[in-house]
mmCIF file of all heavy atoms in Angstrom:
data_model
loop_
_atom_site.group_PDB
_atom_site.id
_atom_site.type_symbol
_atom_site.label_atom_id
_atom_site.label_comp_id
_atom_site.label_asym_id
_atom_site.label_seq_id
_atom_site.Cartn_x
_atom_site.Cartn_y
_atom_site.Cartn_z
ATOM 1 N N GLN A 37 86.391 90.482 96.601
ATOM 2 C CA GLN A 37 86.777 89.539 97.647
ATOM 3 C C GLN A 37 86.251 88.145 97.325
ATOM 4 O O GLN A 37 85.046 87.964 97.129
ATOM 5 C CB GLN A 37 86.259 89.980 99.023
ATOM 6 C CG GLN A 37 86.732 89.096 100.177
ATOM 7 C CD GLN A 37 86.215 89.564 101.524
ATOM 8 O OE1 GLN A 37 85.085 90.033 101.653
ATOM 9 N NE2 GLN A 37 87.055 89.447 102.552
ATOM 10 N N ASP A 56 94.713 103.886 88.358
ATOM 11 C CA ASP A 56 95.358 102.585 88.167
ATOM 12 C C ASP A 56 94.281 101.520 88.013
ATOM 13 O O ASP A 56 93.508 101.294 88.936
ATOM 14 C CB ASP A 56 96.268 102.259 89.355
ATOM 15 C CG ASP A 56 97.179 101.071 89.083
ATOM 16 O OD1 ASP A 56 96.707 100.065 88.525
ATOM 17 O OD2 ASP A 56 98.373 101.153 89.436
ATOM 18 N N ARG A 95 88.172 107.482 100.344
ATOM 19 C CA ARG A 95 89.192 107.986 101.255
ATOM 20 C C ARG A 95 89.351 109.492 101.077
ATOM 21 O O ARG A 95 89.375 109.986 99.937
ATOM 22 C CB ARG A 95 90.524 107.299 100.946
ATOM 23 C CG ARG A 95 91.642 107.565 101.937
ATOM 24 C CD ARG A 95 92.943 106.920 101.480
ATOM 25 N NE ARG A 95 93.631 107.724 100.498
ATOM 26 C CZ ARG A 95 94.599 107.266 99.707
ATOM 27 N NH1 ARG A 95 94.952 106.001 99.760
ATOM 28 N NH2 ARG A 95 95.186 108.075 98.857
ATOM 29 N N GLN A 98 95.339 111.960 100.924
ATOM 30 C CA GLN A 98 96.410 110.988 100.704
ATOM 31 C C GLN A 98 96.721 110.152 101.929
ATOM 32 O O GLN A 98 97.042 108.972 101.824
ATOM 33 C CB GLN A 98 97.677 111.766 100.282
ATOM 34 C CG GLN A 98 98.917 110.925 100.135
ATOM 35 C CD GLN A 98 98.949 110.154 98.834
ATOM 36 O OE1 GLN A 98 98.033 110.278 98.027
ATOM 37 N NE2 GLN A 98 99.969 109.360 98.617
ATOM 38 N N TYR A 99 96.635 110.729 103.118
ATOM 39 C CA TYR A 99 97.180 110.064 104.298
ATOM 40 C C TYR A 99 96.127 109.647 105.300
ATOM 41 O O TYR A 99 96.316 109.780 106.500
ATOM 42 C CB TYR A 99 98.230 110.974 104.949
ATOM 43 C CG TYR A 99 99.383 111.243 104.032
ATOM 44 C CD1 TYR A 99 99.587 112.507 103.494
ATOM 45 C CD2 TYR A 99 100.248 110.221 103.657
ATOM 46 C CE1 TYR A 99 100.637 112.745 102.629
ATOM 47 C CE2 TYR A 99 101.304 110.445 102.798
ATOM 48 C CZ TYR A 99 101.497 111.712 102.283
ATOM 49 O OH TYR A 99 102.528 111.940 101.419
ATOM 50 N N GLU A 101 92.738 106.686 106.230
ATOM 51 C CA GLU A 101 92.288 105.337 105.980
ATOM 52 C C GLU A 101 91.137 105.326 104.993
ATOM 53 O O GLU A 101 90.485 106.339 104.757
ATOM 54 C CB GLU A 101 91.848 104.670 107.292
ATOM 55 C CG GLU A 101 90.689 105.357 107.987
ATOM 56 C CD GLU A 101 91.155 106.478 108.916
ATOM 57 O OE1 GLU A 101 92.311 106.954 108.780
ATOM 58 O OE2 GLU A 101 90.332 106.885 109.758
ATOM 59 N N GLN A 102 90.906 104.146 104.418
ATOM 60 C CA GLN A 102 89.774 103.968 103.519
ATOM 61 C C GLN A 102 88.542 103.569 104.318
ATOM 62 O O GLN A 102 88.634 102.880 105.327
ATOM 63 C CB GLN A 102 90.083 102.865 102.503
ATOM 64 C CG GLN A 102 91.225 103.201 101.567
ATOM 65 C CD GLN A 102 91.541 102.092 100.596
ATOM 66 O OE1 GLN A 102 90.754 101.163 100.402
ATOM 67 N NE2 GLN A 102 92.692 102.179 99.971
ATOM 68 N N TYR B 32 103.134 102.271 105.555
ATOM 69 C CA TYR B 32 101.918 102.835 106.137
ATOM 70 C C TYR B 32 101.032 101.610 106.383
ATOM 71 O O TYR B 32 100.632 100.931 105.440
ATOM 72 C CB TYR B 32 101.314 103.802 105.136
ATOM 73 C CG TYR B 32 100.181 104.668 105.603
ATOM 74 C CD1 TYR B 32 99.687 104.633 106.896
ATOM 75 C CD2 TYR B 32 99.594 105.562 104.706
ATOM 76 C CE1 TYR B 32 98.644 105.431 107.291
ATOM 77 C CE2 TYR B 32 98.544 106.379 105.093
ATOM 78 C CZ TYR B 32 98.080 106.315 106.385
ATOM 79 O OH TYR B 32 97.044 107.132 106.775
ATOM 80 N N TYR B 36 92.168 96.208 109.723
ATOM 81 C CA TYR B 36 90.734 96.308 109.511
ATOM 82 C C TYR B 36 90.080 95.046 110.074
ATOM 83 O O TYR B 36 90.689 93.975 110.123
ATOM 84 C CB TYR B 36 90.397 96.405 108.016
ATOM 85 C CG TYR B 36 90.637 97.749 107.387
ATOM 86 C CD1 TYR B 36 91.900 98.115 106.927
ATOM 87 C CD2 TYR B 36 89.591 98.657 107.243
ATOM 88 C CE1 TYR B 36 92.111 99.351 106.340
ATOM 89 C CE2 TYR B 36 89.799 99.896 106.648
ATOM 90 C CZ TYR B 36 91.059 100.230 106.206
ATOM 91 O OH TYR B 36 91.260 101.461 105.621
ATOM 92 N N GLN B 38 86.408 92.647 109.759
ATOM 93 C CA GLN B 38 85.215 92.379 108.956
ATOM 94 C C GLN B 38 84.312 91.413 109.703
ATOM 95 O O GLN B 38 84.703 90.291 110.014
ATOM 96 C CB GLN B 38 85.605 91.789 107.594
ATOM 97 C CG GLN B 38 84.423 91.603 106.662
ATOM 98 C CD GLN B 38 84.815 91.054 105.299
ATOM 99 O OE1 GLN B 38 85.805 90.333 105.162
ATOM 100 N NE2 GLN B 38 84.061 91.390 104.278
ATOM 101 N N LYS B 49 95.897 102.493 112.584
ATOM 102 C CA LYS B 49 96.920 102.664 111.557
ATOM 103 C C LYS B 49 98.213 103.139 112.186
ATOM 104 O O LYS B 49 98.212 103.744 113.277
ATOM 105 C CB LYS B 49 96.464 103.666 110.498
ATOM 106 C CG LYS B 49 96.271 105.072 111.044
ATOM 107 C CD LYS B 49 95.697 106.003 109.972
ATOM 108 C CE LYS B 49 95.443 107.398 110.549
ATOM 109 N NZ LYS B 49 94.757 108.290 109.581
ATOM 110 N N ARG B 94 100.813 99.870 102.629
ATOM 111 C CA ARG B 94 101.096 100.602 101.395
ATOM 112 C C ARG B 94 102.362 101.428 101.634
ATOM 113 O O ARG B 94 102.744 101.680 102.779
ATOM 114 C CB ARG B 94 99.955 101.523 100.975
ATOM 115 C CG ARG B 94 99.528 102.505 102.022
ATOM 116 C CD ARG B 94 98.526 103.518 101.494
ATOM 117 N NE ARG B 94 99.159 104.781 101.182
ATOM 118 C CZ ARG B 94 98.561 105.966 101.326
ATOM 119 N NH1 ARG B 94 97.301 106.021 101.726
ATOM 120 N NH2 ARG B 94 99.184 107.069 101.020
ATOM 121 N N LEU B 96 104.193 104.788 101.902
ATOM 122 C CA LEU B 96 103.677 106.051 102.426
ATOM 123 C C LEU B 96 103.301 107.022 101.305
ATOM 124 O O LEU B 96 102.345 107.766 101.413
ATOM 125 C CB LEU B 96 104.726 106.687 103.344
ATOM 126 C CG LEU B 96 104.253 107.870 104.194
ATOM 127 C CD1 LEU B 96 103.081 107.458 105.072
ATOM 128 C CD2 LEU B 96 105.388 108.392 105.046
ATOM 129 N N ASN B 99 99.286 104.824 96.869
ATOM 130 C CA ASN B 99 97.847 104.827 97.104
ATOM 131 C C ASN B 99 97.233 103.447 97.206
ATOM 132 O O ASN B 99 96.125 103.293 97.687
ATOM 133 C CB ASN B 99 97.144 105.585 95.974
ATOM 134 C CG ASN B 99 97.229 107.085 96.175
ATOM 135 O OD1 ASN B 99 96.770 107.602 97.182
ATOM 136 N ND2 ASN B 99 97.830 107.770 95.228
#
Side-chain angles (χ1 to χ4, degrees):
Chain A
Q37 185 179 37
D56 192 317
R95 189 184 81 197
Q98 175 79 1
Y99 298 111
E101 61 273 18
Q102 295 178 15
Chain B
Y32 190 1
Y36 283 84
Q38 185 178 29
K49 64 185 177 186
R94 55 172 260 213
L96 192 58
N99 280 301

